[in-house]
Amino acid sequence: MQFKNPEILYALFLLLIPILIHLFQLRRFKKTPFSNVAFLEKIIQNTRKSSSLKKWLVLCTRILALGFLILAFAQPFFPASRRAVKPRETVIFIDNSFSMQATGKKGNLLTEAKQDLLTNLPQDERLTLATWDNVIKDFDPATDRNLLLDLDFTAKTTNAKSLLLRLNTYFSNDQTTAKQLILISDFQDAGLRQALDTNQVSQHRVVLQSTTLENYALDSLRLERTGERYNLKVLLRSSFPTQAELPVSLFDKEKLIAKASVQFKERDTASVNFQLDADQAIAGNLSIVDPDLRFDNDFYFSINKTNPLKVLAISNADDDFLKRLYKSEEYQFTSVSENQLDYGMLSEQNLIILNETQKVPEALANLLKTHAQQGGSLILIPAIDVPSSTYTNLLNTFGFTAFSEKSDLPQRITDINYDHPLYENVFNARSSNLQSHVIQTYFPLETTNSILSLENGAPFLAENNNLYIFTGGLNITNSNFINGQLIVPTFDKIARAALSLPQTYYTLGTQNNFDINTAIPEDAVVVLEKDNQQFIPLQKKQGNKISISAEEGIERAGLYALKYKNDTLATVAYNYNRNESKLQEVILEPIKGVSQNSNIPDLLNTLEQETNLNFLYKWFVIFALLAFALEMLILKKFK
């Protein structure tokens, strides 16, 4: 037995007072004359014995009554468990990812969780509420209810393991407190199904079940240009194979420009095509109607009117392969011989290619360095019939060491640096099967920035400060590289690196860097605007090229206007990640020491019962009253 107010037990010393009074009470006897004292002697002795016993009984009842009252005020109790007598630290995680938009019994799952918490949380306890993107410490259910009601869905979900580690940091290091973590989720994220690796925290999981797992989503799109038309192919997904027919609407801003119907035909994927004019800028939005998960019912994309990338080849060799590589409408290709080069052309170009030039004058090297510093790209394809010192000044200008004397030993191109930005998102898988690429003669080069390497480890393609160097000529007599599978992605990516125009769409939470070519004052900034709200992204200005990084700051999907003052420079589209679009039935494997519950009220009721204190003060009050009643009975009935 334990006491809630043990300091009151010091009042038990008060029980000494009636005892002392009883022991030291002095009584004065009055003499009364009587004719026959001898006759009363026996009666007086019996009366004195009865009076002494009565006093002892009254003393005992008074001590018991007073003792029971003191014990009652000390509030004795038996704890329901060991944790009941410890101070509690409670952290409640509420999953507010998009899968919680699924329909529950009281609306969507997130609304259901908030309502159940407000109804069942104890009103006299402080706790910590956490979500994927927010934390509320010292939450008081009585005064902070609006903070809970205002919690909304977020796309900013992180790695589940990192989340669990973050939740653990919300507990103190105090070893005397009882710590408990409550996870409220639909557990569509498999990582949340793991438990914290700690024995100090009791863990409880509430698995919220949606009433249906049916969901349709606009998954992705692909835009291809064929002549004067764009072919827009839209991919849709279903949570399970179905025969459903779904209408898809295409909007340009708020104007409906096309509508189509897609049939799944007992599959979980379907696609539909739209035809668009290639000469028209579009702020596009694809839309479907689906009552369950709504975050994936819209898919935003943009087509901006842009000038073609300008590519200049300064050649002293056959450049037909360059003309074929840059023949599409996306490029404006110009070829001049090194003897007819007009230096005034250089400032207008995005990509400059030195194709086996016989010399690189110092003035040209300086202009090329300025070109690269302003964001342009440069490719050097050396001529193998000139001394290696021909390109020393250019290489040194860009931070390379000079070429060594050329090697006539044929080498195969065997290694690709897949981690280099040039080949990012180019290959579906990593392969070392490049045996068909061979070079006959090359200039050895010492560098740590190799992109393609030969079988002896020497670089074949390297990059530094926007200068891309091939260590050997690409003419068909020296190499078969221009006939291999790497030529197209390599030159295409180098050209696009010179001016990375906004993509058709970006996914929130992923890297989204792009460039805009515009002339604005040096200290001016561009902004991203949506619904009259502006956001200033990270930006870097190099000449007329502005590099934008909006990976942080954009939290809502939609169409954002990139603006300078009142001028719209481009439209950029952002979409939510579709990872949670496919709902699955969740069956959690039991984990030792982790409780599983199907609803919040039952769990909170169970936790409350574990902290109950079985108070006994009512019984001690009853015992005290009985003692007082017994005293009255003794005083009245005992003679």
Side-chain angles (χ1 to χ4, degrees):
M1 184 172 65
Q2 301 182 43
F3 297 90
K4 185 177 182 180
N5 303 313
E7 63 276 5
I8 295 180
L9 295 178
Y10 287 109
L12 291 174
F13 288 109
L14 298 175
L15 299 179
L16 294 174
I17 296 175
I19 296 175
L20 293 174
I21 293 174
H22 176 79
L23 293 177
F24 296 103
Q25 183 179 22
L26 299 177
R27 298 190 60 185
R28 294 179 181 180
F29 297 95
K30 183 178 179 181
K31 293 182 179 181
T32 303
F34 200 82
S35 59
N36 192 352
V37 177
F39 177 78
L40 296 175
E41 185 177 6
K42 185 176 180 180
I43 297 176
I44 292 172
Q45 289 179 351
N46 292 336
T47 302
R48 286 179 179 175
K49 290 180 180 180
S50 299
S51 177
S52 177
L53 177 61
K54 180 179 180 180
K55 291 177 181 179
W56 279 108
L57 291 175
V58 170
L59 174 64
C60 290
T61 56
R62 288 176 178 175
I63 291 175
L64 287 175
L66 183 58
F68 286 142
L69 283 177
I70 293 173
L71 291 174
F73 280 104
Q75 296 192 44
F77 65 88
F78 289 108
S81 65
R82 292 182 179 180
R83 299 172 60 88
V85 295
K86 293 183 177 182
R88 285 196 300 177
E89 293 183 44
T90 303
V91 175
I92 300 178
F93 169 74
I94 306 173
D95 184 1
N96 62 335
S97 62
F98 285 129
S99 64
M100 293 285 285
Q101 289 181 348
T103 304
K105 298 177 181 178
K106 306 174 184 177
N108 62 60
L109 295 181
L110 180 60
T111 300
E112 180 179 326
K114 293 190 290 187
Q115 291 177 348
D116 285 345
L117 285 174
L118 288 175
T119 304
N120 297 278
L121 279 176
Q123 300 298 309
D124 57 347
E125 181 179 351
R126 296 293 183 92
L127 44 86
T128 298
L129 285 184
T131 63
W132 283 104
D133 60 335
N134 196 12
V135 59
I136 306 173
K137 295 184 178 180
D138 293 327
F139 176 80
D140 186 349
T143 61
D144 300 333
R145 58 184 292 115
N146 288 336
L147 295 178
L148 177 58
L149 291 173
D150 290 341
L151 292 179
D152 203 359
F153 300 101
T154 182
K156 297 173 63 176
T157 56
T158 59
N159 178 272
K161 184 176 181 181
S162 300
L163 171 69
L164 292 175
L165 293 176
R166 175 165 66 88
L167 294 177
N168 194 36
T169 64
Y170 297 146
F171 294 103
S172 71
N173 295 324
D174 190 351
Q175 301 296 322
T176 64
T177 61
K179 302 175 177 63
Q180 55 188 19
L181 172 65
I182 302 174
L183 297 178
I184 303 174
S185 173
D186 58 354
F187 291 92
Q188 292 292 324
D189 189 328
L192 281 179
R193 304 171 194 177
Q194 306 300 318
L196 276 179
D197 187 16
T198 174
N199 295 324
Q200 304 298 323
V201 181
S202 65
Q203 301 172 58
H204 312 274
R205 301 190 294 193
V206 179
V207 186
L208 301 181
Q209 298 284 357
S210 60
T211 56
T212 177
L213 298 177
E214 181 178 282
N215 182 54
Y216 300 98
L218 288 162
D219 184 77
S220 60
L221 60 82
R222 186 170 68 248
L223 188 67
E224 297 177 349
R225 181 167 180 170
T226 55
E228 298 300 320
R229 304 285 289 177
Y230 279 122
N231 179 41
L232 182 67
K233 184 175 183 179
V234 183
L235 178 65
L236 296 91
R237 291 189 180 274
S238 170
S239 297
F240 49 84
T242 178
Q243 286 188 342
E245 183 174 341
L246 200 64
V248 181
S249 302
L250 173 60
F251 295 87
D252 181 8
K253 295 182 179 177
E254 297 180 355
K255 178 183 177 182
L256 179 64
I257 59 176
K259 198 165 187 177
S261 182
V262 60
Q263 295 181 344
F264 284 87
K265 299 179 180 179
E266 288 296 336
R267 295 178 299 177
D268 59 0
T269 61
S271 63
V272 62
N273 293 320
F274 294 96
Q275 297 295 318
L276 304 173
D277 292 333
D279 60 349
Q280 181 180 356
I282 294 179
N285 175 26
L286 292 156
S287 181
I288 61 174
V289 177
D290 179 23
D292 296 299
L293 301 188
R294 299 183 181 181
F295 79 97
D296 52 16
N297 290 357
D298 292 282
F299 200 100
Y300 301 96
F301 69 97
S302 64
I303 302 175
N304 295 291
K305 279 189 176 182
T306 57
N307 296 322
L309 290 172
K310 294 183 178 181
V311 179
L312 172 65
I314 306 172
S315 298
N316 191 50
D318 183 13
D319 59 3
D320 284 343
F321 75 98
L322 295 174
K323 294 177 182 178
R324 294 195 301 270
L325 288 170
Y326 298 118
K327 68 177 181 178
S328 70
E329 297 87 350
E330 300 177 57
Y331 303 105
Q332 180 182 323
F333 180 77
T334 305
S335 177
V336 298
S337 66
E338 62 177 321
N339 297 326
Q340 299 176 346
L341 175 62
D342 179 5
Y343 285 5
M345 301 174 59
L346 301 181
S347 61
E348 303 174 357
Q349 308 302 316
N350 300 116
L351 171 63
I352 299 175
I353 305 172
L354 300 180
N355 183 25
E356 301 190 23
T357 56
Q358 298 292 308
K359 57 184 178 179
V360 183
E362 184 176 353
L364 177 59
N366 292 333
L367 289 173
L368 293 176
K369 182 180 180 181
T370 301
H371 165 78
Q373 289 175 339
Q374 293 181 347
S377 295
L378 178 64
I379 298 176
L380 172 61
I381 305 172
I384 61 173
D385 57 350
V386 298
S388 60
S389 60
T390 302
Y391 305 104
T392 299
N393 183 46
L394 178 66
L395 295 179
N396 292 339
T397 300
F398 282 86
F400 282 103
T401 61
F403 282 141
S404 301
E405 292 300 321
K406 67 180 176 182
S407 172
D408 295 324
L409 181 64
Q411 293 286 324
R412 291 177 295 182
I413 304 169
T414 56
D415 295 317
I416 299 178
N417 182 2
Y418 289 99
D419 296 323
H420 193 278
L422 185 66
Y423 290 132
E424 186 178 4
N425 299 325
V426 171
F427 303 100
N428 293 326
R430 301 192 175 194
S431 173
S432 59
N433 185 20
L434 301 174
Q435 306 297 325
S436 60
H437 294 79
V438 179
I439 186 169
Q440 303 297 327
T441 304
Y442 67 96
F443 291 110
L445 178 68
E446 293 185 5
T447 180
T448 59
N449 297 326
S450 179
I451 302 174
L452 296 175
S453 301
L454 305 176
E455 57 186 324
N456 63 357
F460 174 68
L461 173 62
E463 181 269 336
N464 194 45
N465 294 327
N466 288 350
L467 171 61
Y468 296 83
I469 299 176
F470 289 91
T471 57
L474 300 186
N475 58 78
I476 58 176
T477 60
N478 189 59
S479 173
N480 63 351
F481 183 76
I482 62 175
N483 296 321
Q485 69 267 37
L486 290 178
I487 182 68
V488 173
T490 299
F491 276 81
D492 182 69
K493 291 283 284 185
I494 292 175
R496 294 182 184 276
L499 186 65
S500 180
L501 297 173
Q503 297 179 9
T504 308
Y505 67 91
Y506 294 95
T507 300
L508 291 176
T510 61
Q511 184 177 5
N512 50 85
N513 302 327
F514 56 88
D515 302 328
I516 290 295
N517 196 6
T518 185
I520 63 174
E522 187 66 29
D523 57 348
V525 296
V526 297
V527 298
L528 286 168
E529 181 179 280
K530 182 180 187 298
D531 299 333
N532 296 322
Q533 295 183 348
Q534 292 186 341
F535 162 71
I536 301 177
L538 294 175
Q539 49 197 281
K540 179 181 179 182
K541 193 171 186 297
Q542 298 173 306
N544 290 340
K545 173 182 172 181
I546 304 176
S547 299
I548 308 293
S549 176
E551 186 172 352
E552 299 292 335
I554 303 294
E555 298 181 355
R556 293 189 301 149
L559 295 165
Y560 289 77
L562 184 68
K563 304 182 75 172
Y564 170 64
K565 294 186 177 179
N566 294 325
D567 298 330
T568 299
L569 306 178
T571 301
V572 189
Y574 292 94
N575 292 291
Y576 295 123
N577 195 303
R578 263 51 178 174
N579 288 343
E580 295 191 343
S581 292
K582 189 171 184 179
L583 297 177
Q584 298 177 345
E585 184 177 1
V586 176
I587 301 177
L588 299 184
E589 295 183 0
I591 300 177
K592 184 178 180 181
V594 179
S595 69
Q596 295 186 19
N597 305 268
S598 59
N599 62 76
I600 296 173
D602 288 350
L603 172 62
L604 295 180
N605 184 51
T606 301
L607 295 178
E608 187 66 24
Q609 290 178 0
E610 290 180 357
T611 61
N612 284 342
L613 303 178
N614 299 318
F615 286 102
L616 305 175
Y617 68 91
K618 294 180 181 179
W619 289 103
F620 283 93
V621 171
I622 293 173
F623 293 154
L625 293 176
L626 290 176
F628 282 125
L630 183 59
E631 178 187 353
M632 298 298 294
L633 184 63
I634 292 173
L635 291 174
K636 289 184 177 182
K637 300 296 183 182
F638 199 93
K639 302 297 181 179

